Amino acid sequence: MDRVTEKAKAYIMENGTELQKACCAYLLEEGRKNAVERALAAYQNTDGGFAHGLDEEYAGPVSSQFAVISALGLIYRFGLGESELYAKTLAFCKRTQRPDGSWDDPEEMRQFPVPDHMGSGIYVEYKTGMTAKWLMQLGVSAESELLEPAIRFLSKR
């Protein structure tokens, strides 16, 4: 391991979250994928969405689409597409997709401190596009009942 990698690893292991530590260990071939899954699951709500600081700028308990996007990226990167964690996330995406095909943050998030770039009605195209991107990366077909409406929504923008 080179000096820069060693310093980065030491910093993450001393200062990082459990998820960051698990990801670092796995990427350096010193940890297991199931440790990443367990650490990510700590941020998952019973509704299948994610919150609780997965997105560092929002620590509230209401599921955030930005946090879901982050989780989908991690699920893809760490090969968790066959996990229950992903199944719950996919069910959340199906349940929360709006009639116009978009995904957005729920109004309930405003009960908690939320940065200016988060919240209902803000960056809906981005949230929809990134959700669709990761779902496609995870094998959901563009022609599916889930992604076809999202693509239609984005093509009208």
Side-chain angles (χ1 to χ4, degrees):
M1 186 180 318
D2 66 45
R3 182 170 145 64
V4 172
T5 304
E6 286 177 16
K7 286 181 77 173
K9 175 188 170 189
Y11 181 84
I12 291 168
M13 292 307 183
E14 184 175 326
N15 301 294
T17 65
E18 291 306 310
L19 177 59
Q20 291 165 339
K21 291 174 187 179
C23 291
C24 179
Y26 181 78
L27 292 171
L28 294 174
E29 299 179 353
E30 298 172 0
R32 303 177 65 92
K33 182 168 47 173
N34 64 350
V36 174
E37 184 178 354
R38 276 193 312 274
L40 181 56
Y43 295 93
Q44 192 170 41
N45 286 327
T46 56
D47 67 1
F50 290 82
H52 312 288
L54 179 59
D55 183 302
E56 292 181 10
E57 296 182 275
Y58 170 67
V62 177
S63 293
S64 154
Q65 198 61 35
F66 274 117
V68 170
I69 291 165
S70 296
L72 287 168
L74 290 166
I75 290 166
Y76 173 74
R77 171 61 183 92
F78 291 96
L80 301 172
E82 300 297 320
S83 67
E84 176 148 345
L85 181 81
Y86 174 57
K88 289 178 182 179
T89 307
L90 187 58
F92 174 84
C93 290
K94 288 177 181 176
R95 197 172 43 261
T96 60
Q97 188 174 30
R98 297 186 170 190
D100 66 1
S102 68
W103 283 280
D104 196 3
D105 292 320
E107 284 292 331
E108 295 81 20
M109 279 181 64
R110 295 188 191 277
Q111 298 172 30
F112 304 94
V114 178
D116 292 341
H117 68 276
M118 292 177 84
S120 183
I122 303 169
Y123 298 120
V124 177
E125 293 86 358
Y126 176 81
K127 294 175 213 175
T128 301
M130 291 303 294
T131 301
K133 172 202 172 186
W134 288 120
L135 291 173
M136 281 190 255
Q137 291 285 7
L138 286 158
V140 177
S141 167
E143 292 80 31
S144 71
E145 291 179 10
L146 190 61
L147 290 183
E148 192 174 319
I151 294 167
R152 247 190 337 273
F153 170 82
L154 292 168
S155 68
K156 293 178 183 177
R157 300 291 169 210

